[in-house]
Amino acid sequence: MDFNQIFRDRTKNFSISIIKSLSSLPYSDGLSIIRKQIIRSATSVAANYRAVARARSEKERFAKICIVVEEIDETQLWLEIIEEMRYLDSENILHLKSECEELVKVMTTYKFKLSQNKTT
């Protein structure tokens, strides 16, 4: 399996994990706003990563990976808020935060690599 397929699957599975983890929580006004935002940002990571692999040019690929990095960073913020507000149990939040951190590192590295290719 190639890098693109691995991370297409990983970002999609991460989105699914976010949705499943939050769908079991009770409804409340504050939580519903956070739930909506984190689901939006996590699914945007997966959708935009798919677009990276289908980009028609290096410029478009770089623009899409920039969106991926921005959205995974936002997802990380929402996970921190969820953790501090203790909306999820520590085991569940630890798993989500760990995967998010790995995705941040990989996508940031990929973005940097693409930016280097643009200057050469």
Side-chain angles (χ1 to χ4, degrees), residues 25-66:
L25 296 176
Y27 179 83
S28 72
D29 288 340
L31 182 56
S32 66
I33 293 166
I34 293 168
R35 182 185 344 231
K36 180 180 176 182
Q37 289 297 103
I38 194 170
I39 289 172
R40 186 206 53 76
S41 64
T43 55
S44 180
V45 170
N48 281 291
Y49 187 79
R50 289 174 72 100
V52 167
R54 299 198 187 294
R56 294 168 291 207
S57 68
E58 288 304 309
K59 195 172 189 178
E60 184 179 359
R61 184 179 323 280
F62 183 73
K64 291 296 182 181
I65 198 66
C66 287

Side-chain angles (χ1 to χ4, degrees), residues 2 5-6 11 23 26 28 32-33 39 53 58 66-68 72 76 90 95 101 109 115:
D2 68 15
Q5 188 60 48
I6 290 167
T11 56
S23 64
S28 72
S32 66
I33 293 166
I39 289 172
E58 288 304 309
C66 287
I67 295 169
V68 170
I72 195 67
Q76 193 172 39
S90 59
H95 170 72
E101 182 63 34
T109 301
S115 73

Side-chain angles (χ1 to χ4, degrees), residues 88-104:
L88 291 176
D89 63 81
S90 59
E91 184 178 319
N92 198 356
I93 195 72
L94 182 63
H95 170 72
L96 293 171
K97 283 182 63 181
S98 175
E99 179 63 2
C100 189
E101 182 63 34
E102 287 183 35
L103 289 171
V104 166

Side-chain angles (χ1 to χ4, degrees), residues 17-30:
S17 294
I18 292 282
I19 293 166
K20 284 182 176 179
S21 295
L22 295 174
S23 64
S24 65
L25 296 176
Y27 179 83
S28 72
D29 288 340

Side-chain angles (χ1 to χ4, degrees), residues 10 18 20 26 30 32 43 70 75 81 83 87 99 108 116:
R10 250 179 109 170
I18 292 282
K20 284 182 176 179
S32 66
T43 55
E70 183 179 328
T75 302
I81 290 170
E83 178 181 40
Y87 283 135
E99 179 63 2
T108 303
Q116 296 301 334

